[in-house]
Amino acid sequence: MRPFSLRLRLTAWYFGILAPSLLAISVIAVYGMNRSINSAVDHALDERATAVRALMRRTLPTGSIQDLVDEIKEHSQLDATGDLMQVADARARWLYRSRLLADHDVPLPAATQPAVRTERFNGLTLRIRNERISIDGTEFSVQVATPLHEFREAIERFQWLLYVVVPALLLCATAGGYFMSRRALSPVEKVIDAAESIGAKNLSSRLVVPSTGDELQRLSETLNKMLTRIEGAFTTVSQFTADASHELRTPLAILRTRAELALRRARSADEYREVLEQLLNGLERTSDLVDRLMLLARSDSGAQSLHRSELDLNVILRRVCEQGVTLAAAKNLNFKAELEPHGILLEGDQDFLERLFLILIDNAIKYTPACGDVAISSRLVGSMATIAVRDSGIGIGASDLPNVFERFYRADKARSRESGGSGLGLAIGRWIAEAHDGAISVESMPGEGATFSVSLPVSRVTSSRFRHVAGRT
Ligand code: ADP
């Protein structure tokens, strides 16, 4: 199921935040309105009760009860706030009772009832304030009241307004939110469309970067950088495939021609043997090339794993030196090894590390003319071990130096091919060094030999005083 679009989710969030907020505001508004009306009504009742109390205190000390009744009647007609008042004496006999209260039969409050209360009498809701007034030992009970229906109606009207306005507001705001998120996200749609139109055939195309200084600009820039990286990787892979097919085609064509030539006429057993040996030789080299290609392809995809264990670097270098001595002897070269006396332990894959140093020694021997020197040395520099393979051979030109670690790169193609080089050795060497969190570099001057240095992180140093100097031919 396709999940909701970001636009819809943003709108839903907007609605989800706005709806409860508007509801809370409405509830607070109605509650606040109720409270302020009640307090205004109570305040008015309080003032009226005070006025009646003052009137009674003024009248009674000199006048009779009848005088008081007359005064109250007069006062109640003067009082603009209404006629809603009743006065009873201590024996609960009414002295004065306004018509509305009498019509609705509003009784005297019980002693337990609060001084101010809201009560409904025969369909009339009243807010009543009860006052007990004692004048010269005579008790009176005075109630002043205000009908609440007008206020109630006002509140109800306000509530109805809210019932209409709040949903309408919510609807408009949600529609507005949807429209705004649509507008805000429309550049993202453009980025999506542009990104979708880029494929293997037009990998060099880039997204248009808006100069808005916002997240969209960053997103477009980041996607463009990613496209540049993908384009680089794509070019490398295409180049690698093209180079690999080319490298394989040549030896296979040679093998085929040799086999065809041999089959053109009948040959002696010795001739067949010679041709078969040549074919086998060629097949071995081709299969070695395929192995190297496979290794690089696996390293590219991250599928080539290392079998790491704690290794003694000197043990590895000693084994490599043994082969170096033999290879150098075959070419009449001097081979020397100067190894760090301390035992250097590192985490690594023994086979791959041996392969790395053998590639360097093999190259040094390959590109050094007879009677030259080849030397390997190891040193401990801080937490790194540096292994250098030095030769006094033909060296490498400044223009070739930055490229020698590239796949299929050969500084001198004819010489390299002649000596069986595929241009993959140093590329594999660099991958091995980097897979061990190390690095490889080269220094050279044409005609003055070359020095390849590998630095690898050391896990531990022991004090074992191991020293190995390989033979000299
Ligand atoms: P190859 O199999 O051709 O030797 P490498 O990847 O091992 O491939 O080396 C790449 C190129 O670097 C070689 O073709 C050669 O031109 C140059 N090179 C490598 N090592 C040396 C060296 N010790 N002295 C001079 N040139 C070297």
Side-chain angles (χ1 to χ4, degrees), residues 18-225:
L18 201 64
S21 311
L22 280 177
L23 196 72
I25 289 170
S26 307
V27 170
I28 291 169
V30 171
Y31 175 77
M33 193 171 171
N34 249 319
R35 262 193 78 115
S36 62
I37 286 176
N38 278 350
S39 89
V41 166
D42 287 354
H43 185 68
L45 287 176
D46 189 37
E47 279 185 346
R48 282 170 61 201
T50 310
V52 174
R53 194 187 310 123
L55 177 86
M56 291 170 81
R57 293 230 164 100
R58 226 176 25 244
T59 313
L60 270 185
T62 51
S64 65
I65 292 291
Q66 189 52 50
D67 291 340
L68 175 68
V69 172
D70 292 342
E71 280 291 334
I72 288 173
K73 272 184 189 157
E74 196 180 328
H75 171 84
S76 110
Q77 274 152 23
L78 286 176
D79 192 349
T81 50
D83 187 21
L84 299 190
M85 177 171 38
Q86 58 188 12
V87 182
D89 65 12
R91 281 194 242 149
R93 281 182 312 205
W94 296 113
L95 301 180
Y96 171 78
R97 218 172 177 204
S98 54
R99 237 188 51 216
L100 196 66
L101 297 188
D103 288 351
H104 286 82
D105 203 17
V106 176
L108 277 172
T112 49
Q113 279 183 309
V116 184
R117 68 189 199 280
T118 302
E119 223 172 313
R120 204 171 160 79
F121 304 97
N122 302 324
L124 177 70
T125 307
L126 292 174
R127 184 85 174 152
I128 303 179
R129 182 182 176 90
N130 181 50
E131 194 80 10
R132 284 188 185 282
I133 300 171
S134 168
I135 297 168
D136 295 339
T138 315
E139 286 274 331
F140 296 94
S141 173
V142 176
Q143 283 112 48
V144 282
T146 300
L148 290 182
H149 59 272
E150 275 181 17
F151 301 118
R152 285 274 152 88
E153 276 168 18
I155 290 173
E156 265 169 31
R157 273 201 302 277
F158 181 60
Q159 272 175 331
W160 273 109
L161 197 73
L162 288 180
Y163 289 149
V164 176
V165 169
V166 167
L169 208 69
L170 201 60
L171 208 73
C172 291
T174 307
Y178 182 76
F179 176 72
M180 267 158 55
S181 54
R182 228 182 119 94
R183 264 191 74 122
L185 291 174
S186 76
V188 177
E189 299 278 357
K190 280 190 198 141
V191 171
I192 293 171
D193 290 344
E196 265 176 0
S197 71
I198 298 175
K201 292 210 172 68
N202 60 342
L203 254 185
S204 55
S205 307
R206 293 292 176 269
L207 306 176
V208 179
V209 179
S211 36
T212 42
D214 57 8
E215 288 86 350
L216 270 170
Q217 184 177 346
R218 271 185 52 211
L219 177 71
S220 311
E221 283 169 353
T222 309
L223 283 175
N224 277 347
K225 281 184 202 151

Side-chain angles (χ1 to χ4, degrees), residues 292 359-368 389-391 393-397 400 403-413 415-417 419-429 442 444 449-452:
R292 288 171 174 228
I359 288 170
L360 298 182
I361 288 176
D362 190 45
N363 276 349
I365 291 170
K366 225 160 47 177
Y367 298 108
T368 303
V389 176
R390 206 172 56 245
D391 65 63
I394 59 170
I396 304 167
D400 293 317
N403 302 315
V404 289
F405 295 104
E406 300 302 325
R407 292 165 188 192
F408 301 108
Y409 191 86
R410 303 172 179 104
D412 182 342
K413 293 197 176 25
R415 193 193 292 247
S416 167
R417 221 188 273 278
S419 53
S422 61
L424 293 178
L426 289 179
I428 292 174
V442 59
S444 179
T451 302
F452 283 86

Side-chain angles (χ1 to χ4, degrees), residues 317-318 320-322 325 334-340 361 374-378 388 390 467-472:
L317 292 181
R318 193 170 44 168
V320 171
C321 285
E322 276 164 16
V325 167
N334 293 318
F335 187 90
K336 212 163 66 178
E338 288 167 1
L339 304 186
E340 170 72 43
I361 288 176
V374 171
I376 183 165
S377 64
S378 65
R390 206 172 56 245
R467 191 172 179 88
H468 175 84
V469 179
R472 181 179 269 260

